[in-house]
Amino acid sequence: MTEHTGPTKPLLAVLAGQTAHPPPIWLMRQAGRYLPEYRKVRAEAPDFLAFCLAPELATEVTLQPIRRYAFDAAILFSDILVPPFALGHPVRFEAGEGPVLARVTGRADIEALDLARARSVWAPVMETVRRLRAALPPQVALIGFAGAPFTVAAYMVEGGGSRDFAAARRMAYAQPELFAALVARLEEATLAYLCEQAEAGAEALMLFDSWAGVLSPSQFRTWVMAPTARLVCALRARFPHLPIIGFPRGAGPMLADYVATTGVNAAGVDTALPAAWVAAMLPAGKAGQGNLDPMALVAGGAALRQEAERLLQDIRDKPWIFNLGHGIVPETPPDHVAELIAIVRSAR
Ligand code: CP3
């Protein structure tokens, strides 16, 4: 068995702290609108949240990029806004507009969040995880995920997406007890949601803190690092060997503190950070994941090759998972993804 040699799936070996060259690769938003086969299935379910909660469809679109490109990991198809929806908070997706949520303004909005209800609403997600574990090829690792409490809270206070999440940041300063109550409730729900995914067969977990970068350093410690550290600790207690990837997008130099204190096994790295700096900063045994510019993938050709090869050199002596610095954008030509995989897999 694997007891003496560690994990055999390339992605899990890197998350256990091993170096691999070429590195394993998967891409954030690898299931999505850039793929014609995704758009076809998506057209069958116009309501995006219903789509996320349909195991048949969610399993199919998760597998599409695996079949096409043989990535080293599949990421569960769902969304970071499924848990607030499941908790009973009004969330909908408008075509061309992104997510629209009710705005949290007071205690009553937080007290209305119902974890017992959430468990039954998100049950189909766990069915998707079970189906994926049964269907995936043996070398491919299954990543489960959730939005981190701060980022989900930010959407709930703001009522949707935002350039700067000003309303959420203002509440965090002006009504810290209220914002803390929201984050605490989300922490509890996120723990339950991720534990269920682990029990259903997720082999690694990722926390998306997509808006961590709007916070000042002290607010980052309070709303990003502290809840993440508590979540990692609680997950570790239940699943000691389950690796956790934290992605505090926009953290900048705070990423070093984040890795040192939250206990994550790997740090997601956004495009703005020098990968060589991250590689040098990572403590022994911790992995990095990222950080090719999604626009280099859209451009393709010589620019893509140059950026990818530079990144491969910057990270070659560290445990690293090759990925983008943020999600694939819909205008990405599918052929460029195949090109990128060829570049990465021929690294020497
Ligand atoms: O392939 C995968 O990466 C797995 C599935 C996944 C989706 N969203 C599917 C999705 C994952 C991991 C997410 C995470 C997510 N969702 C994040 C964190 C990562 C990041 O991008 O920062 C955030 C902030 C969200 C919230 C969200 N979901 C927004 C803002 C939008 C609208 C923007 C857009 O691209 O339309 C979504 C919708 C969404 N989630 C789509 C997909 C494939 C597009 C919806 C569609 O098919 O019409």
Side-chain angles (χ1 to χ4, degrees), residues 29-31 33 38 42 48 75 78-79 93 155 210 326:
R29 289 278 177 99
Q30 63 190 17
R33 285 168 295 187
Y38 172 88
R42 178 75 171 84
F48 181 68
I75 183 160
S78 183
D79 196 85
F93 281 82
Y155 277 99
S210 303
H326 200 190

Side-chain angles (χ1 to χ4, degrees), residues 39-62:
R39 294 196 298 270
K40 190 157 174 263
V41 177
R42 178 75 171 84
E44 290 173 33
D47 179 326
F48 181 68
L49 287 164
F51 180 48
C52 292
L53 294 170
E56 183 96 22
L57 304 180
T59 302
E60 169 57 21
V61 299
T62 305

Side-chain angles (χ1 to χ4, degrees), residues 30-31 35 37 56-71 74-75 77 131-137 140 142:
Q30 63 190 17
L35 288 178
E37 61 267 36
E56 183 96 22
L57 304 180
T59 302
E60 169 57 21
V61 299
T62 305
L63 294 172
Q64 285 172 346
I66 305 303
R67 290 190 201 110
R68 206 190 241 262
Y69 303 115
F71 285 116
I75 183 160
F77 190 86
R131 289 184 189 204
L132 286 168
R133 267 313 290 283
L136 283 168
V140 181
L142 178 60

Side-chain angles (χ1 to χ4, degrees), residues 208-225:
F208 285 90
D209 226 337
S210 303
W211 296 100
V214 302
L215 295 174
S216 74
S218 69
Q219 295 291 83
F220 181 91
R221 287 194 183 92
T222 304
W223 308 115
V224 170
M225 282 168 50

